Amino acid sequence: MKSELAEMALDQKRTMLDDDAPEAVPVPHALVPHLDEIAILLDIDGTLLDLMPTPREVWVPPGLSETLGRLTERTSGALALVSGRSLNDIDLIFAPDVFRAVAGHGAEMRLSVDNEADAVHAPPLDKELKRRLAAIAKLSHGILLEDKGYSLALHYRLAPHAEKAIYESVSLIRADLPNAPIEVLPGKFVCEIKHSGFTKASGVRELMKHEPFRGRRPLFIGDDVTDETVFAIMPDMDGLAFSVGRRAIGVNGHFDAPSDVRAFLARLLDPR
């Protein structure tokens, strides 16, 4: 099975173009016969869903939930969302559907759709640290604060001019707390501060140890800097990685936009 899929990966690199699709979109027909051997892992914002001015404005396009549900069935449950969002946030976005997930950059995990969470790997951020970080939002009216409990995110899509000031302020706070076990994650118009010691990659590694993912070949699609940790471990798992919106280093190919990802997933369900 692995030799067939390895050859498939080489074929994808040789036949990455499709007459009806943007450059470098992977050809889905090569994957269709192997869906019972693959684990599909998908980032959400900027990958499955189009980015919006604020995190609360994202929406699930018609047909996507049905596609994800059918792919979950075709892979015997081996489909998971891999996101910086919390499990609660993911469930609100996709309600009433519930999916297996690695959430909060690896802080939370759900292996069964019947559970709220199977593992939580991070304690809450220190209250005083949160208070100091939250004050950064006062630098500009357009900075939005998101408290995930184990992390805090400063979104500045509505105030891009504040980017430098935000990171400078975070750096000053970290300088005052050199021993604090925290990590700063830069993203697309977001600066997130979380506990160190867990990432999307550590979450994916843990996920792949459990059924129904164990023994399968992972296929991961992501778009942001935080997804690069997962791109980096795909070769260790004989996996496939695809970036969205840019040609990331070390991936097997890329999609131009989330709409291309959604079309690709839908075409995986077409036996032709």
Side-chain angles (χ1 to χ4, degrees):
M1 179 265 287
K2 285 192 175 181
S3 61
E4 284 186 61
L5 290 176
E7 183 60 30
M8 177 195 69
L10 292 175
D11 288 342
Q12 284 189 342
K13 287 184 178 181
R14 290 191 290 262
T15 61
M16 201 62 75
L17 300 182
D18 187 309
D19 290 339
D20 299 320
E23 183 183 6
V25 171
V27 181
H29 66 72
L31 290 168
V32 172
H34 302 283
L35 287 180
D36 59 344
E37 304 164 340
I38 289 175
I40 300 176
L41 312 177
L42 305 165
D43 174 50
I44 298 176
D45 296 271
T47 297
L48 277 180
L49 306 183
D50 298 290
L51 293 172
M52 293 294 170
T54 68
R56 297 298 177 191
E57 292 181 69
V58 300
W59 60 288
V60 179
L64 176 58
S65 290
E66 180 183 358
T67 296
L68 296 178
R70 290 178 61 194
L71 282 173
T72 299
E73 293 177 4
R74 289 288 304 276
T75 58
S76 300
L79 180 146
L81 304 176
V82 181
S83 177
R85 289 181 180 268
S86 66
L87 278 176
N88 182 66
D89 213 13
I90 292 172
D91 289 348
L92 289 175
I93 291 171
F94 288 93
D97 300 292
V98 178
F99 298 100
R100 292 170 176 85
V102 172
H105 301 289
E108 300 178 282
M109 183 180 303
R110 177 166 56 211
L111 296 169
S112 170
V113 296
D114 297 323
N115 297 343
E116 289 188 8
D118 291 285
V120 178
H121 300 290
L125 280 179
D126 177 77
K127 289 183 178 180
E128 177 60 19
L129 174 61
K130 273 189 181 181
R131 186 189 67 77
R132 294 184 64 181
L133 292 169
I136 297 174
K138 297 179 181 178
L139 289 172
S140 175
H141 178 69
I143 301 174
L144 303 178
L145 184 68
E146 182 183 10
D147 184 358
K148 302 179 184 179
Y150 45 78
S151 71
L152 190 143
L154 296 159
H155 298 271
Y156 54 92
R157 186 171 292 274
L158 298 178
H161 60 276
E163 178 179 39
K164 183 179 179 180
I166 289 171
Y167 281 97
E168 287 178 346
S169 298
V170 172
S171 295
L172 288 174
I173 293 172
R174 291 191 72 188
D176 286 342
L177 304 167
N179 298 320
I182 58 174
E183 178 182 2
V184 179
L185 294 179
K188 291 181 177 177
F189 296 100
V190 61
C191 173
E192 186 160 354
I193 302 90
K194 70 174 187 63
H195 271 285
S196 57
F198 62 92
T199 64
K200 284 186 177 182
S202 65
V204 167
R205 284 192 184 278
E206 179 67 22
L207 179 78
M208 295 301 296
K209 295 177 183 178
H210 300 274
E211 296 293 346
F213 302 92
R214 184 167 53 195
R216 289 173 175 260
R217 189 181 195 192
L219 183 156
F220 175 71
I221 307 177
D223 74 303
D224 211 344
V225 175
T226 57
D227 297 313
E228 292 178 358
T229 62
V230 185
F231 295 153
I233 66 170
M234 285 296 101
D236 299 340
M237 301 180 175
D238 196 28
L240 299 169
F242 300 96
S243 58
V244 183
R246 63 193 177 96
R247 297 173 184 268
I249 296 174
V251 297
N252 297 86
H254 83 283
F255 296 89
D256 284 349
S259 57
D260 300 315
V261 176
R262 296 192 293 267
F264 167 76
L265 296 174
R267 290 168 66 189
L268 286 179
L269 296 164
D270 185 349
R272 295 171 296 180

